[in-house]
Amino acid sequence: MKTCLIVDDSRVIRKVSRHLLEGMGFSVDEAGDGSEALERCAAAMPDVILLDWNMPVMSGIEFIRVLRQRSDGQRPKVVFCTTENDVVHIRSAIEAGANEYVMKPFDRETLQVKLQLVGAV
């Protein structure tokens, strides 16, 4: 079973995302910020990371930069999931190592298409 780590400071977004991902057959774990997500990745690197941009403690962009420096940090497919929709943010995310980008709010179909694009489903 493929694994996904949802990294978002919103409990509601994590709950909705978990429901969608479990419906697609993923085993799901959650983190409320980038620092907590790094701890989860150190314990067990997921196949996919659904990553929010704006979070307290450590932002999504800070998290992905640290993640991609790890020896096993290139393995997970990272999909940024955020309300930031300008070209500068999208380019920054891709340059930092994101594989794809999805805008909030999203539905199952949109998320599934993005996960297919990165080869996660």
Side-chain angles (χ1 to χ4, degrees):
M1 179 177 282
K2 290 207 173 186
T3 58
C4 182
L5 176 63
I6 301 167
V7 186
D8 200 300
D9 57 324
S10 167
R11 189 173 296 134
V12 172
I13 295 294
R14 291 195 313 265
K15 183 177 181 178
V16 169
S17 298
R18 173 184 283 275
H19 177 74
L20 295 175
L21 288 158
E22 287 178 343
M24 290 183 233
F26 282 87
S27 172
V28 178
D29 195 8
E30 300 178 18
D33 61 62
S35 180
E36 187 180 342
L38 286 174
E39 292 173 13
R40 297 278 196 281
C41 289
M45 190 63 74
D47 297 306
V48 178
I49 299 173
L50 195 61
L51 181 62
D52 185 27
W53 187 288
N54 297 308
M55 295 178 289
V57 183
M58 178 185 275
S59 71
I61 199 77
E62 292 169 317
F63 164 80
I64 196 169
R65 287 182 178 139
V66 173
L67 174 75
R68 293 305 195 204
Q69 295 301 313
R70 291 177 46 108
S71 61
D72 57 351
Q74 293 300 317
R75 187 172 69 90
K77 301 297 185 185
V78 177
V79 178
F80 258 102
C81 171
T82 183
T83 57
E84 303 292 349
N85 65 352
D86 60 88
V87 174
V88 172
H89 277 92
I90 295 170
R91 187 179 309 122
S92 295
I94 299 301
E95 288 173 357
N99 300 96
E100 196 48 77
Y101 205 91
V102 66
M103 296 302 302
K104 290 180 186 175
F106 55 87
D107 57 16
R108 179 189 166 107
E109 183 179 331
T110 303
L111 183 57
Q112 192 159 11
V113 165
K114 294 295 185 174
L115 292 173
Q116 286 171 338
L117 286 172
V118 301
V121 291

